[in-house]
Amino acid sequence: MKRFVIAVALATLALFGLPNTAIAQPTNDDFDNATVVTEPLPFTDSISTVDATTAADDPECAGNGHTVWYTYTPSAAGFVNANTFGSDYDTTLSVYTGTPGALTQIACNDDFGGVQSSVTWEVVAGTTYYLMAGSFFDSPGGNLSFTVQESGPPPTLDVAIDPIGHVNPRIGVAQVSGTFTCTGLDFVDIFGELTQQVGRFTIRGSFEFFAEGPTCDGTPQPWTANVSPENGKFAGGKATARVSASGCGPSGCASAFEERSIRLRR
């Protein structure tokens, strides 16, 4: 009798074109069935996440669609990298400790190499880490290529703004400068904005500084940028500068932000 009921149900699904997605769900679709990352590293896995689902308590990392789970308990302390390089869809990747509904996020990445993801974090021997690979917001799943490997320390980046800038009062173009300090990065990209209250008007302008192959050994390095006003002219006096710096290297990406009041001199 049970076989008959199952056969009728499958026939009904086929008749109305309703998908039977549960058949294709990956084994590690749920947190409680996370695939164990085994040592020695590297560990690799390739699965389809097209029919992976999202649990109500799956955390957010640039969305949480088509999530699958892995668990890793290192036998020794160090740095570990996990990535989705080689996957054929827009992935996200995140790392957690804790339990479902009370997870603490250690790392989260959306786009590292194209639409692929990479995270690097420092592990403690005997601590269990949970890794969630998902698709970007509502985008579809696909063929996931998942790797966990030993790594160097994650990169670092800091940025500073000099308290004194300069301005050409004739044309109203300002110049701002500062330093950035990095480790483990192949490039540093600095975007900034300069604003100044001149009478009733707020003069503003944006700028960019890019350094490829910087000396990322923890030594401060200078940056300088000219700022053309988008309206009016910059003048001598007080102004506000804001900069956002970012960069990437073999072990991951890093970012920094700084805002301060500066004085523009003629």
Side-chain angles (χ1 to χ4, degrees):
M1 183 65 179
K2 290 182 178 179
R3 292 181 179 178
F4 174 76
V5 173
I6 293 173
V8 171
L10 291 174
T12 302
L13 288 171
L15 177 63
F16 289 96
L18 300 176
N20 187 12
T21 57
I23 295 176
Q25 288 176 3
T27 57
N28 59 340
D29 184 49
D30 189 72
F31 180 96
D32 293 331
N33 297 319
T35 296
V36 176
V37 174
T38 56
E39 293 183 327
L41 300 180
F43 169 88
T44 60
D45 192 30
S46 297
I47 61 173
S48 172
T49 66
V50 171
D51 292 305
T53 61
T54 303
D57 56 0
D58 279 353
E60 283 279 340
C61 173
N64 57 7
H66 301 279
T67 58
V68 292
W69 287 90
Y70 295 85
T71 179
Y72 175 53
T73 306
S75 59
F79 291 93
V80 170
N81 170 263
N83 64 73
T84 62
F85 299 156
S87 303
D88 64 0
Y89 66 105
D90 193 347
T91 65
T92 66
L93 188 59
S94 46
V95 184
Y96 306 88
T97 57
T99 58
L103 293 172
T104 298
Q105 189 177 93
I106 304 300
C108 166
N109 179 251
D110 173 25
D111 294 340
F112 178 84
V115 295
Q116 307 310 308
S117 309
S118 176
V119 291
T120 299
W121 77 104
E122 187 173 7
V123 299
V124 177
T127 297
T128 298
Y129 300 91
Y130 299 94
L131 294 90
M132 185 183 79
S135 61
F136 177 72
F137 284 99
D138 295 326
S139 63
N143 295 307
L144 171 69
S145 293
F146 178 78
T147 299
V148 179
Q149 58 193 357
E150 294 179 350
S151 175
T156 63
L157 178 61
D158 190 26
V159 65
I161 305 170
D162 290 337
I164 301 299
H166 297 87
V167 64
N168 183 329
R170 185 176 61 84
I171 58 177
V173 174
Q175 185 182 78
V176 294
S177 59
T179 59
F180 66 90
T181 307
C182 59
T183 61
L185 297 178
D186 292 333
F187 68 88
V188 171
D189 205 356
I190 298 175
F191 289 93
E193 180 186 50
L194 183 68
T195 58
Q196 184 182 49
Q197 196 70 29
V198 178
R200 295 179 300 168
F201 301 98
T202 300
I203 310 302
R204 66 181 66 248
S206 58
F207 59 90
E208 180 181 9
F209 173 89
F210 181 80
E212 186 173 9
T215 304
C216 279
D217 59 0
T219 302
Q221 299 176 71
W223 63 266
T224 302
N226 293 325
V227 191
S228 296
E230 299 171 0
N231 57 324
K233 295 180 179 181
F234 289 114
K238 182 180 177 181
T240 299
R242 304 174 184 87
V243 295
S244 296
S246 61
C248 292
S251 297
C253 297
S255 61
F257 176 81
E258 176 74 358
E259 176 180 343
R260 72 170 299 166
S261 175
I262 69 173
R263 181 161 295 277
L264 298 178
R265 291 180 177 174
R266 300 185 180 186

